[in-house]
């Protein structure tokens, strides 16, 4: 019975890694839509989110079934509860990718990001994509050592967010209110994607080591 239970737990984490891979694609293509002004790419991200939501719901159902039927304790209970929290984080990252895609779609045939803001936004997008990719690997391999790298990358993301605000509030900003709002929102979305990646990595550390790092509140 316990062997079957642990096989089901393995399946849960395999499913989480698969959903994370879909979120990788969502972040990638949302960014592509943002930088190219391609409405069809933006639409593909928006429509694909229902698949992420459905997969996340299936994982939640698996976890609730394990809780109700197996009544896990100690390490097993910790793992199931962490998986429930992880799936919520990953699903939210998909939603944030949709928000990016919707801004891109809204500004077609123009680009939402003015040329002067492009270097910072491109870097934020790349950091976010890299963090999601690493998160996928951490979920698949459950490697607590790799989780520390995401904290360092999140520090860079926070710095980029500050740089973005500095530019928006500077005297040289001459693009008007609408692009400023877009940039502020996009920076927020990429920053939150990064924050959720850090959350997931810390939860994996908790599952593997039993140590419970301080977690930030995400939205």
């Amino acid at each position: 019975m316990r062997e079957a239970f642990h096989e089901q737990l393995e399946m849960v984490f395999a499913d989480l890694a698969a959903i994370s891979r879909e979120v990788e694609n969502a972040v990638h293509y949302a960014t592509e839509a943002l930088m190219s002004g391609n409405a069809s790419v933006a639409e593909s991200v928006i429509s694909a989110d229902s698949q992420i939501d459905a997969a996340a719901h299936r994982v939640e159902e698996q976890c609730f079934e394990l809780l109700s039927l197996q009544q896990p304790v100690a390490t097993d209970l910790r793992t199931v509860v962490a998986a429930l929290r992880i799936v919520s984080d990953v699903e939210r990252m998909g939603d944030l990718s949709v928000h990016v895609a919707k801004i891109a779609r809204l500004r077609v045939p123009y680009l939402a990001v003015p040329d002067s803001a492009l270097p910072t936004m491109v870097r934020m997008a790349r950091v976010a994509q890299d963090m999601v990719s690493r998160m996928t690997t951490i979920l698949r391999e459950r490697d607590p050592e790799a989780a520390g790298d995401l904290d360092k990358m999140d520090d860079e993301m926070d710095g980029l967010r500050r740089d973005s605000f500095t530019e928006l509030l500077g005297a040289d900003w001459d693009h008007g209110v609408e692009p400023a709002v877009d940039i502020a929102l996009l920076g927020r979305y990429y920053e939150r994607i990064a924050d959720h990646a850090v959350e997931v990595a810390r939860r994996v550390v908790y599952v593997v080591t039993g140590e419970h790092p301080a977690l930030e509140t995400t939205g």
Side-chain angles (χ1 to χ4, degrees):
M1 179 68 73
R2 303 313 295 173
E3 182 177 344
F5 172 72
H6 288 121
E7 287 178 358
Q8 288 175 292
L9 275 183
E10 290 298 323
M11 289 177 60
V12 164
F13 271 83
D15 289 343
L16 286 171
I19 298 170
S20 181
R21 185 70 182 88
E22 292 301 313
V23 171
E24 278 188 65
N25 289 335
V27 175
H28 171 79
Y29 287 112
T31 299
E32 180 180 319
L34 183 67
M35 301 305 172
S36 67
N38 190 317
S40 64
V41 174
E43 289 290 352
S44 71
V45 174
I46 295 165
S47 62
D49 190 55
S50 61
Q51 299 173 24
I52 293 174
D53 291 344
H57 180 70
R58 288 194 296 271
V59 169
E60 287 176 347
E61 290 298 313
Q62 285 177 283
C63 290
F64 288 134
E65 183 176 335
L66 289 173
L67 287 172
S68 63
L69 297 181
Q70 302 290 344
Q71 298 181 342
V73 295
T75 301
D76 292 339
L77 178 61
R78 181 175 77 213
T79 303
V80 176
V81 171
L84 277 168
R85 292 175 174 170
I86 287 170
V87 74
S88 178
D89 282 315
V90 175
E91 182 180 17
R92 181 60 181 148
M93 293 165 81
D95 293 339
L96 290 162
S97 302
V98 168
H99 294 335
V100 173
K102 284 183 175 179
I103 288 181
R105 183 183 63 178
L106 182 64
R107 302 306 173 205
V108 172
Y110 305 105
L111 299 183
V113 183
D115 288 344
S116 65
L118 200 57
T120 300
M121 192 57 58
V122 166
R123 184 58 190 162
M124 290 185 83
R126 286 178 179 169
V127 171
Q129 290 179 61
D130 194 9
M131 290 180 74
V132 179
S133 177
R134 290 172 186 243
M135 181 189 77
T136 302
T137 300
I138 289 167
L139 281 170
R140 185 172 58 244
E141 300 178 0
R142 269 178 272 180
D143 179 5
E145 296 298 326
D149 294 337
L150 291 189
D151 280 314
K152 298 173 186 175
M153 297 174 74
D154 193 47
D155 289 340
E156 180 182 359
M157 179 66 84
D158 291 341
L160 289 165
R161 178 83 163 129
R162 289 191 294 271
D163 292 344
S164 178
F165 268 119
T166 298
E167 183 175 3
L168 290 177
L169 298 174
D172 294 337
W173 182 264
D174 58 1
H175 303 291
V177 173
E178 190 174 84
V181 172
D182 286 344
I183 294 299
L185 288 173
L186 288 165
R188 174 66 172 172
Y189 299 151
Y190 282 121
E191 182 186 38
R192 299 314 289 166
I193 288 170
D195 288 343
H196 282 291
V198 170
E199 290 269 356
V200 170
R202 289 174 175 173
R203 295 192 197 286
V204 171
V205 171
Y206 177 56
V207 166
V208 174
T209 68
E211 298 176 2
H212 204 342
L215 298 174
E216 299 174 1
T217 302
T218 57

